[in-house]
Amino acid sequence: MSKEDLNAKNVEQEIVEDVETVEEVAVEVEVDDSAARIAELEKALAESEATVAAQKDGVLRGKAEVENMRRRVSQDVEKAHKFALNKFANELLPVVDNLERALSATDKDNEQMTAIVEGIEMTLTSFVGALEKSGVTQVNPVGEQFNPELHQAMTMVEVPGAEPNAVIDVMQKGYELNGRLLRPAMVVVAKAASVDTNA
């Protein structure tokens, strides 16, 4: 083999080696670029997933808040319907009281008063019936135990044979509107018999 062939072969060998080196570098650069691109895409994906999770959480919170608001509004409307008569009913209670006082003050044995007594009784009955249709009920606790949530004790009296804390008389009836107290009943409560310590 001639020197020129040998040189050509060496040059060819160097060219092949250089091409292989360039290819290796190109592959390494490609791998490095791919790894960087994958890392960049993974980061973007993680950020997108975090954003979606935050938005999903926000949507769920918003939905829960809307449901809570809808429930509160519904309850407020229900209460407004249920207790709209509160002030009006309180204004009418003195009328019932006055009719009851008029009835108790009339002489029922007097024949001349019979028509008046019947008129007052009918008026009172229809008035109380109209109140009951609107959800207003009387609290008339004679004989019941004293309940401070429904009754207002005006006085305590020692009554032989009566249970302590029993309501023995109602001075003024109480009223409730759909289970809510409008006015407590003014009552006289029995107290325990005092024990004579001098004996």
Side-chain angles (χ1 to χ4, degrees), residues 16-32:
V16 168
E17 288 174 4
D18 287 345
V19 168
E20 287 176 357
T21 304
V22 168
E23 285 177 352
E24 287 174 10
V25 169
V27 167
E28 286 177 16
V29 168
E30 236 178 73
V31 168
D32 287 346

Side-chain angles (χ1 to χ4, degrees), residues 12 18-19 33 42 49 69 75 79-80 83 100 106 108 113 118 120 131 138 160:
E12 189 180 317
D18 287 345
V19 168
D33 284 348
E42 285 176 345
E49 286 175 345
M69 188 183 307
Q75 288 172 347
K79 284 180 184 176
F83 301 111
E100 288 176 345
T106 56
K108 294 179 183 176
M113 299 293 288
E118 287 176 2
I120 294 172
L131 287 174
Q138 288 185 346

Side-chain angles (χ1 to χ4, degrees), residues 110-187:
N110 186 346
E111 288 184 21
Q112 294 177 342
M113 299 293 288
T114 303
I116 293 173
V117 169
E118 287 176 2
I120 294 172
E121 286 175 342
M122 287 173 54
T123 303
L124 179 61
T125 302
S126 65
F127 206 83
V128 169
L131 287 174
E132 285 176 353
K133 286 179 185 174
S134 299
V136 178
T137 55
Q138 288 185 346
V139 177
N140 189 9
V142 174
E144 298 176 9
Q145 282 295 106
F146 176 72
N147 181 350
E149 293 178 3
L150 299 175
H151 313 142
Q152 181 178 354
M154 302 308 289
T155 186
M156 292 187 81
V157 179
E158 192 175 308
V159 177
E163 271 188 58
N165 289 329
V167 175
I168 56 172
D169 190 22
V170 176
M171 299 169 82
Q172 185 180 54
K173 293 177 184 173
Y175 289 89
E176 292 179 328
L177 174 61
N178 294 317
R180 180 192 283 178
L181 189 66
L182 284 175
R183 180 179 80 186
M186 294 182 183
V187 298

Side-chain angles (χ1 to χ4, degrees), residues 46-105:
E47 288 173 359
S48 296
E49 286 175 345
T51 302
V52 167
Q55 289 175 346
K56 185 177 180 180
D57 185 54
V59 166
L60 290 175
R61 287 177 190 269
K63 185 176 179 181
E65 184 62 33
V66 167
E67 281 300 316
N68 288 339
M69 188 183 307
R70 185 176 289 141
R71 190 177 69 249
R72 280 193 303 269
V73 167
S74 175
Q75 288 172 347
D76 289 346
V77 167
E78 183 181 334
K79 284 180 184 176
H81 285 302
K82 201 171 187 181
F83 301 111
L85 295 175
N86 197 23
K87 185 175 179 182
F88 183 66
N90 269 322
E91 295 293 326
L92 295 178
L93 296 182
V95 176
V96 174
D97 295 337
N98 289 335
L99 287 170
E100 288 176 345
R101 281 189 209 104
L103 200 55
S104 65

